[in-house]
Each structure stands twice: as C-alpha cells, then as structure tokens.
C-alpha cells in the first residue's frame, strides 16, 4: 500500500473491503468487471504468533500439510500425525512397482512400466483453482496441460446408433447444427415473436447460421458447411484427387438419444473448462512436494484413536501402526483433517454440535482403474485420439487417454474406468483382477480388436475400501449445509477441522487448501485472543 | 496382405479400392463407420525407379524436401535449389538473435531472449493432419499440445459492452443458455409443431435444459445453474465464507453483438478443434528436421530465373544470390514448389494451360507480430489465462498466449497480431517498429496497464513483403478451381508442381505435403512410362 493512499486495484479493493464489508467488496469487483473466480488471496498473514505456541495437525494430506507449513512459517511449533507411510493422502499416484492394499486385504503389485501411473484420486486441476496452482509454483511442482476436451474422442450410448460409438466432433456438430436450424425455423414461424423484435430475430438468424454451420438457406445438411465442422467423407487432399467429399449429418433423433448434450455440458462446466493441468509425472508429485516442505514434522504410521482437549491443551492418542504401541502427542491447538467417516469413529472431546455435524455427512464412493497398453494405438491410423475422454453409458462411465507423451511410443496407461454411485460399489466388491477384466470388457466398445489385445497391466483403487478415507469425499446437501456446515468449520475450543469436507469445493484439492487457510487463520486469531 | 486373402480392415479397404475404384472405397469406409479424415495412406510406393534417373526439386520448403526425401529413397538422383540460406520455406521460426529482412530492405534484429520465438507462418497442427504428424514422428520432431480453446481468454468487440472485453467462458455460456431457453420457449409456443412431435419436443427440452445450464423452469438466469458454467460473482471457497454467490448473465443483445457465436464457430472448425499440436521449440523445428533428411542435396542461395524442358531434360538457370553468378542445373524431371506469384515471373517452358493456371491464382497476405513480455502476467492474479487466444474486432484480430512453459517465469512471447485482408496490407506498409507499437496499442485493450508496460522486444513478418513467397498462400475460388486446378497439378511433360497451392488444404503444411506425395507418385509413374 502506498503511503499516500491506495493506488493499485488490489489496494482499492482491500480498502473497500475494510471499509464496507464483503458484500460491498464483491459488488465493486463486479462493477470493475472482475468477478472473483477464487477466494484465494495469497498466503495467509499469521503474524504475531505467541512464542512456543504449538499445533498438532492430524493428517498429512494437502490440507494438513498446508496448515503445518503456514503455521510453522508463522512461528508455531508443529507436528503432524499421519496414518499412511507417505504424505499426500488422496493426492497420490500409483506407479509401476508399487504395492497397494485395500481394506479387506486385497493387495496389488502394480505391473506398469517404470514411470507409468494411475492417479486414483485427483487427476486434473482447473485454471481457476488458484490456491493449488500457487503452491505448485511455490513448491516447484512442474505442470503440463491436461487435455479434457478432445473433439476426436468417442461417445457411446447403448441407446443410439445401435450401440456404436461416434465421434464427439460429429455428434456435437450435429447437435449445434440442428439446434441452430430449429431456432431459425421458430423465428421464421413467428414462434418467438413475444420474445424478440423482427430486427433482433434477423440478427439472431445471422448468428445462428455461422454458429451452427448452416447453409445459406439456414439448413444444417450434407454439404461443405456442415462438413467443415463434422468432417468429410473424403478429407481434402493434394493433387488430382484433392477435392473433399462432404459428409451427411446423423438423424437428429439419434443425436439427441446419444446424450451428446450432457457430454458437451460436462466439458463446459467451469470445473472442466480448458485450460486444465496435471503435474508432470503424476498427481502424487504435489503430495510429495508438500511433504518435502514439512519434512521432519510428520510422524508416519500413526493411527489416531482419541482426541482430548481438556486441561488447556489438546492431547491425541495414537497407535503406531507397525508396532501397535500406543502413544500420545500434545499441543496447545489442533488442526484435524481426518476424513469425517473415520473421525466419527474416533473418541473426540468436542461439542455435541460438532460431533453431530461430523456424523451427518456421508461420503461418496468411486473406483478408478488404470489399464496399461503396449502401444498408443488410439493415436494411430484412423483413431487420431490425442488425450481427452471417451464417454459411455456403461458403468465404467469413461475412458481417458494420456495427456502427456503424445505421439511417443508405448506402453502408456489409459484411465479405464471412473465409476460413481451403485456401479462404484459393484466394482469395489470385485477382486482387483476382476475389475480390470470388467473394465477391459466394457471399454473395448471404443477400440474393438485393440483394447484387450494391447493390454499389459492393470491397477485399481476402490475408495470405499480405502483404509485412510473410508470413501471418496464428503457429500453435502442443502439440508446438511444449513444445519451443520457452520458448526463443522467453527473453531471448537482448541480444535478446528479442515479438508475438502470443510469447504464448498468438495472433492477438489482446492477445497482442501482453501479450507485449511481459512481454518488456520481463525485458529491463529483464537490463539492470539487466548 | 495375407496369402489367403485380405484379413485386416486396411487390406479389405485396399481390395475394394483396387476392384471398385475410389467412390466404392469411400462408400465402404463410411459404411464401416470410418469417415476418412485424411488422404494420407502412408509413405508412397515409388518402386522400380530407373537407375540414374534424376529429379531437380525447386524449393526447400516442406513440399520440396519431402519430394526430394522420398524420391531419393526410391533411387532417384535428387538436387534441390533453394533461394533462402535455410531449409523450411514458410515453415520457420524467428528466434532471439536472428536478423530478418523483408522486401524493401526493412531489417530487424530480433531482441527476444534466447530460445523465444515468433512463428511467422504456420503455428499449429490439427490432429487429423496425418502426413505432417507422420513425418514429425519419422524425423524425430517432438510435439507438444497447442492450446487453441481457452475458455478464460477474452473476446473484445467495439460494438458490445462499451468496448470492454469479456471472458469467452461467460459469453459462450450466455450464448448457449439463451439459445437453449429460446428454443425451449419455441417448443412451448408450438412454433415447431411442424418439425417435431410433442414427445420429441419434450425430450429435446430435457436435453436443452442440461446443455444450456437452464434452471428447472427452463430459464437461463442468475443462479447456481448458469454460474456453474459462466462463473460466480464470489467463487466457492473453504471454511466460514465458503458459500459461492451466483453471477448474473449478460443481456442477450450484448452477447449477440459481441459476435461470440463467430468465435465459438472458429474453435469448432475441424481445422481448429482440440487436440492441436506445436513442435517443441518452434514450428521451424520441422523445417530443420526435414532439412537434415536432405542434407547435402540442397543448393542454398539459388534464385531460379529460367526453367526449360526442351531436349528431353529439364534445365534450370539460377543466380547465386551471394555472388551474382549465373549457373544451370539439369535433370530428367522437375518438381517445382516455387510459390505461384514468384513462378509467374520466371521464364517457364510449359504448356499455355499451365502458365495460365499459374497466373490465375492470387496470394493472400498476412502479417504476424510477436511481442515479448517481461513476465507471464496473463497467467497471474485475476487473469488466469494459460494459452489460447483472445479475439478482437480490431485489425490485429487476436492475441495468442504461449501454449508452453505454462506457469513458468518470463520472458515469454505473445502473438500480438495475426492480420488478414486490408489490415494486413496496412501493417505490411509500416516499419517493423511502427507495427510493434500499433500492435501494443491495439492489444492493450485486453491487458490495460500491463501490456505495454511489460513489453521487452518485438518481431514481425509481412508475407506480402516476403522475398521468397510474395504473399502468404494461394487463394483459390470456385471458378479458378474449375478452370485451372487440374491443369495446375497435371504433370506437364517433365515438370510437376507441388505445394499448398496444388492442394485443397490451402495455407496448411498438410496440403503442401499431400500435394508433394501425389505429385511425385504421378511423376514416378510418368518416369516409368518414359
């Protein structure tokens, strides 16, 4: 801030924020044309920590490690207890050579080639998740583009085209084209006279023609216009046979039945809009980088069994997983990032309200399956698929092609299933081998004759059988938000909860980090007031 | 091919092609569900070349070098004459430290940091350009994703929003949302009863609601639904203030006036659909890689002045650009890739028809301007733009952010102008310094207070002043195609033309390569028949 008053836009906004409160601030930002796409305001200001004050952090996931990192920087004495033998929590990549074990004992020795991986949890980062992007930069995590939208990828519906997958490109072109033609027709039929003037209708028709690749008669039909988007039956070329041959759009009924509109919408959702990122070498590189920042502060293999906050301190009892020895750790305050499904089973000395909140929020399940393939055949010949996602209404829901190493030799790992809801419990109930076999069977609809044939090794993770989370992520609804959310995030004497479950960006790393920053900011305030 | 008959799909198609001709072939491919997206069928089969037969190739652009490479592999004695002192032609990157001179003498010493570059010609490769992708792989050119679509990039129209740029994300969301709402309304108003049954109308409304992010009343309006695509006024966060605040859609009139529909259409055009590529280190890496394949066969600095094909051979007269010495080269055949605007000024011994064809096709102009910036401020703070293109109706037409090195430190080069038509001639008429100043002025509409302020160095290239092309690329129209195209591509006794101008994929490297493969295949046949 300039001594003579606020001079930068940020200063002005800060001044408005201080003077008029949050609602005035957001109104001003909107007026200035900058809708806020993040609540991240930079690393927290935790100045003035009392010398010797200590914080115990439960969980070395991203929320816990960020809390420890920032509190440590501010002068707090910090210790982390972590159940796993590694940092990262759900931020994690399973590599070739790894061994993983789910609840129930199913153990997989991962046969992927060295360096190949499955991201069982998070796998992509939106551009507007500023907190995770900020700390990736700060902690030296190299990022590369994650290819979300690939128009050449496939869309499969058992209810359209006799179950034959079609290109996103063709379906999306035909969807837009038909919508444009129909709306143009409605304008001509005066079906929208109440909604617009004739002049506006004419203007809109010009726009619809260009947007929908319509011909000069406002028809979406076989010809050069539509083919420029959906592709040609014979592509343009060079020399004597260079002239292209147009393609014929699909019947609109089939296009609607393919549910391409839902796939388009998914790509347009703010959380999946281009540009997206992934860390070079696997999502787990983030957990590892955070881990390096809190090195020496983490007690791994520690299973928390009891959290007490009587007597002006927090005392946590935990079991050393390897030896079974019971130990305790003590601090002035506690940041607890343990997932709610596990926390609800731990003896917790907290308000009735907080305990009710913890018990009120169920967790979703998801199973992800990685399938390593000998070669990148999907990039070759007439496939031409470089990254992106092919969607299906089969239980696997999608297969996703690697966004990196494009055009290189194999082997490479396809995400062979990303299951939700009932399908995920069905997959979770199978052996790892059976999951892989089923995923190969279902996914081969996209690449018949190649998919199973090129398979080399599989890996999977069922979050409902994940010992350190007992589920995928917290599932709030309108009612539980109203009744329990503010209680869940409130500092409860000496304890504050953090994690994606304590945010409105559930299931995303960004939610975990923003929750953590908010929690430690308030805990710090509480500590100063003590 | 299997001895017992065709067994693979490719074999079957080849057999059909041989038996029934091209139209049956394409029909079969479509029936089998594989619309051909390329005419590339792999490297050409040029077997049986006569020992000692020779070919003179004019031009070491991609078409010329590919011809020389494949003909050389087939056993022909090949020599290339090239005007420039480097391989690549229009495939070219201008790097920091380079010196470039346009017709008229304007010389630029490029002040970019080492490794930074401007691609004055081609800058992106579509996934379906199989020929260029094939040879990139064959010649070891590393590729990386080119980010074409970035929903966070900006769209500026002087005719909407008082000239204030808006996010593609918000405009595209509001376009789709309003189109969906209007079409839903038209269905309700029975304005489309002639086009669909009530049942189909109901089904379509369900689809429109999801695709257009409409609320349960089929309205596109302020609320959680629309905000999930266009963004929130206050983003979701963690902790006590985690709840998001929805945003308000723009007035549809402004959205239509912004011409976002044209920008969306541009991204949906098959040639600009995701996934796209660029070579690591600049587009010119392709020209260099091709150059290595024909090393020792290229006579650089050779300006062709006369092409004669009397006496059973082709004799080409050229001037050594450095010394002014006049020399000749002789071969049995000639592949001429010299751009038509230059070829029309060379004394050419060919049929009247070919000469008329050469004279009939005008060339477009384009000016590209690179602006190096101290830092990647567009990726920071509230900008969040990682790659992609911001569009404007100002003469610069767009600015494009680097697709690579995302999230790294500066300096980095923005494509600050990609001009067409009259605007390009205006820019071509300016000094390089004036172009850069004008591009900075116009582009600052997107990043006021940062754009000029972060500028470090500029570079530009005006294709109308390019000594080796005299323009950007060939502009065919329906009439010239009909009258001249087949004559232009026909083997004219011992000479055949190749290049993007001899293809239906004008202005693309793919057109140059496919033209070259077709030309040498026919020239080879001609040589065998001789």
């Amino acid at each position: 801030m300039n001594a003579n008053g606020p001079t930068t836009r940020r200063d002005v906004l800060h001044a408005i924020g201080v003077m008029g409160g949050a609602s005035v601030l957001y109104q001003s930002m909107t007026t200035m044309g900058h809708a806020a796409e993040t609540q991240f305001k930079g690393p927290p200001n935790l100045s003035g920590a009392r010398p010797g004050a200590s914080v115990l952090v439960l969980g070395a996931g991203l929320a816990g490690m960020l809390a420890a990192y920032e509190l440590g920087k501010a002068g707090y004495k910090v210790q982390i207890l972590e159940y796993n033998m590694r940092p990262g929590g759900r931020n994690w990549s399973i590599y070739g050579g790894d061994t993983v074990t789910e609840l129930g004992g199913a153990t997989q020795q991962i046969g992927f080639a060295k360096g190949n991986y499955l991201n069982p949890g998070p796998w992509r980062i939106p551009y507007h998740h500023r907190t995770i992007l900020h700390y990736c930069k700060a902690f030296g995590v190299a990022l590369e583009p994650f290819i979300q939208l690939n128009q050449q990828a496939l869309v499969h519906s058992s209810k359209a085209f006799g179950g034959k997958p079609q290109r996103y490109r063709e379906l999306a072109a035909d969807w837009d084209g038909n919508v444009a033609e129909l709306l143009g027709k409605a304008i001509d039929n005066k079906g929208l006279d109440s909604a617009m003037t004739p002049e506006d209708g004419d203007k809109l028709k010009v726009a619809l023609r260009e947007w929908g690749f319509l011909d000069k008669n406002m028809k979406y039909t076989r010809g050069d216009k539509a083919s420029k988007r959906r592709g040609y039956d014979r592509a343009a070329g060079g020399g004597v046979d260079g002239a292209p041959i147009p393609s014929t759009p699909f019947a609109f009924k089939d296009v609607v039945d393919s549910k391409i509109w839902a796939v388009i919408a998914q790509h347009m959702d703010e959380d999946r809009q281009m540009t997206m990122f992934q860390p070079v070498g696997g999502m787990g590189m983030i957990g590892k980088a955070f881990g390096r920042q809190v090195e020496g502060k983490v007690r791994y293999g520690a299973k928390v069994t009891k959290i007490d906050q009587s007597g002006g301190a927090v005392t946590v009892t935990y079991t050393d997983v390897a030896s079974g020895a019971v130990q305790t750790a003590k601090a002035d305050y506690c940041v607890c990032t343990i997932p709610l499904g596990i926390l609800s089973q731990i003896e917790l000395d907290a308000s009735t309200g907080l305990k009710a909140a913890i018990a009120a929020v169920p967790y979703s399940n998801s199973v992800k399956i990685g399938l390593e393939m000998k070669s990148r055949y999907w990039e070759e010949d007439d496939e031409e698929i470089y990254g992106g996602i092919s969607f299906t209404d089969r239980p696997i829901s999608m297969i996703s092609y690697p966004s990196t190493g494009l055009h290189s030799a194999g082997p490479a790992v396809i995400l062979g299933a990303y299951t939700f809801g009932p399908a995920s419990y069905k997959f979770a109930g199978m052996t790892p081998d059976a999951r892989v076999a089923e995923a190969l069977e279902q996914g081969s609809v996209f690449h018949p004759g190649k998919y199973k044939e090129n398979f080399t090794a599989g890996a999977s993770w069922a979050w409902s059988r994940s010992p350190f989370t007992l589920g995928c992520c917290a599932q709030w609804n309108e009612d539980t938000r109203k009744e329990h959310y503010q209680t869940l995030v409130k500092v409860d004497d000496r304890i504050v909860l953090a994690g994606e479950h304590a945010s409105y960006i559930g299931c995303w790393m960004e939610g975990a980090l923003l929750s953590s920053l908010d929690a430690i900011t308030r805990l710090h305030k509480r500590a100063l007031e003590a």
Side-chain angles (χ1 to χ4, degrees), chain A:
Chain A
M1 176 103 55
N2 186 300
N4 299 312
T7 47
T8 68
R9 199 178 64 82
R10 183 165 279 189
D11 288 342
V12 172
L13 291 175
H14 181 72
I16 295 171
V18 168
M19 295 181 304
S23 71
V24 175
L25 174 62
Y26 296 120
Q27 213 179 325
S28 300
M29 290 179 79
T30 309
T31 309
M32 293 173 76
H34 295 278
E37 281 155 79
T38 175
Q39 290 206 17
F40 181 60
K41 299 169 193 76
N45 177 358
L46 305 177
S47 59
R50 233 175 350 108
S54 59
V55 180
L56 195 54
V57 176
L58 306 182
L62 298 193
M65 290 193 286
L66 180 58
Y69 170 76
E70 290 291 354
L71 289 168
K73 264 200 337 188
Y76 287 91
K77 224 184 111 197
V78 180
Q79 195 192 355
I80 308 181
L81 301 180
E82 166 59 40
Y83 170 80
N84 287 318
M85 295 307 294
R86 58 164 184 85
R90 280 163 281 187
N91 176 293
W92 178 36
S93 299
I94 300 176
Y95 296 93
D98 284 356
T99 301
V100 296
T101 303
E102 293 177 359
L103 275 182
T107 293
Q108 302 170 61
Q109 268 148 1
I110 310 302
F112 293 166
K114 196 175 147 60
N116 277 350
Y117 60 85
L118 164 70
N119 292 324
W123 57 311
R124 47 191 174 181
I125 305 174
Y127 62 83
H128 53 91
H129 283 187
R130 307 309 294 174
T131 322
I132 186 83
L133 289 170
H134 170 88
Y135 285 100
C136 280
K137 197 173 211 175
F139 297 165
V141 179
L143 301 176
E144 61 192 3
F146 173 92
I147 299 173
Q148 165 72 22
L149 169 63
N150 178 351
Q151 301 233 28
Q152 177 71 355
L154 295 156
V155 176
H156 167 255
S157 165
S158 55
K159 298 192 177 61
F161 301 104
K164 190 176 149 18
Q166 303 292 350
R167 301 278 170 209
Y168 177 95
R169 169 171 46 78
E170 292 170 284
L171 294 170
D174 292 357
W175 167 260
D176 285 358
N178 278 282
V179 165
E181 180 182 322
L182 285 170
L183 187 50
K185 197 177 286 182
I187 294 170
D188 286 344
N189 290 355
K190 312 208 169 293
L192 289 164
D193 276 7
S194 61
M196 64 183 79
T197 65
E199 293 72 34
D200 284 345
D202 287 344
K203 212 160 150 184
L204 183 54
K205 279 173 63 183
V206 171
L208 289 168
R209 186 163 62 216
E210 182 155 348
W211 169 71
F213 290 73
L214 307 186
D215 68 15
K216 59 184 191 307
N217 302 316
M218 295 291 292
K219 297 280 177 218
Y220 183 73
T221 185
R222 184 177 195 276
D224 204 57
K225 269 312 273 296
S227 299
K228 267 195 65 80
R229 179 165 179 195
R230 69 189 316 287
Y232 290 84
D233 268 1
R234 179 175 80 173
V240 290
D241 289 326
I245 298 173
S247 66
T248 306
F250 296 133
F252 188 43
K253 197 198 158 314
D254 290 331
V255 174
V256 174
D257 285 345
S258 78
K259 295 208 175 179
I260 184 63
W261 36 275
V263 177
I264 300 174
Q266 191 167 144
H267 285 303
M268 298 297 116
D269 184 293
E270 201 192 13
D271 290 342
R272 293 174 191 83
Q273 288 172 7
M274 303 288 288
T275 305
M276 305 196 81
F277 293 97
Q278 64 181 16
V280 175
M283 190 56 84
M285 301 305 275
I286 297 179
K288 287 180 186 178
F290 273 68
R292 283 192 296 274
Q293 300 296 324
V294 294
E295 213 168 297
K297 292 179 180 162
V298 192
R299 175 78 169 78
Y300 289 107
K303 184 178 177 175
V304 172
T305 54
K306 186 178 170 186
I307 304 168
D308 181 272
Q309 55 174 329
S310 58
V314 179
T315 308
V316 172
T317 308
Y318 63 95
T319 306
D320 180 84
V321 175
S323 67
V326 175
Q327 293 176 291
T328 58
K330 199 169 170 176
D332 298 327
Y333 303 98
C334 173
V335 176
C336 175
T337 72
I338 297 173
L340 301 181
I342 289 177
L343 186 56
S344 65
Q345 298 174 36
I346 292 172
E347 193 182 334
L348 172 65
D349 173 19
S351 68
T352 323
L354 178 55
K355 288 204 248 188
I358 291 167
V361 184
Y363 270 49
S364 63
N365 182 33
S366 179
V367 176
K368 275 192 183 159
I369 302 174
L371 304 172
E372 190 185 64
M373 302 279 170
K374 217 166 9 199
S375 79
R376 292 176 176 253
Y377 53 84
W378 53 88
E379 297 182 354
E380 297 298 320
D381 300 335
D382 52 358
E383 303 267 16
E384 310 177 359
I385 299 174
Y386 296 96
I389 300 169
S390 287
F391 292 89
T392 172
D393 60 2
R394 290 183 172 181
I396 53 169
S397 95
M398 64 174 73
I399 75 172
S400 176
Y401 311 90
S403 291
T404 191
L406 301 179
H407 226 225
S408 69
V413 177
I414 278 185
L415 176 67
Y418 186 6
T419 67
F420 308 92
S424 70
Y425 289 99
K426 199 168 165 199
F427 270 98
M430 300 178 191
T431 65
D433 281 350
R435 288 175 199 161
V436 165
E438 181 63 26
L440 281 170
E441 183 60 39
Q442 291 186 22
S444 61
V445 71
F446 293 117
H447 306 284
K450 296 179 185 170
Y451 205 66
K452 294 183 212 168
E453 293 73 3
N454 275 277
F455 171 76
T456 53
S460 65
W461 189 253
W463 284 101
S464 58
R465 301 177 79 153
S466 165
F468 58 98
T469 53
L470 291 180
C472 188
C473 47
Q475 295 296 295
W476 291 92
N477 61 35
E478 239 173 86
D479 292 338
T480 51
R481 283 279 188 208
K482 206 175 288 176
E483 197 174 340
H484 294 295
Y485 180 78
Q486 289 298 338
T487 310
L488 187 97
V489 300
K490 211 177 129 188
V491 179
D492 191 287
D493 195 1
R494 297 179 168 272
I495 299 172
V496 68
L497 268 53
E500 58 83 22
H501 51 274
S503 83
Y504 273 79
I505 319 181
C507 304
W508 288 93
M509 296 181 288
E510 182 74 1
L513 295 182
L514 279 173
S515 153
S516 179
L517 293 178
D518 181 69
I520 60 175
T521 304
R522 287 180 289 115
L523 190 69
H524 173 65
K525 208 172 149 212
R526 155 80 174 83
L528 292 187
E529 286 163 357

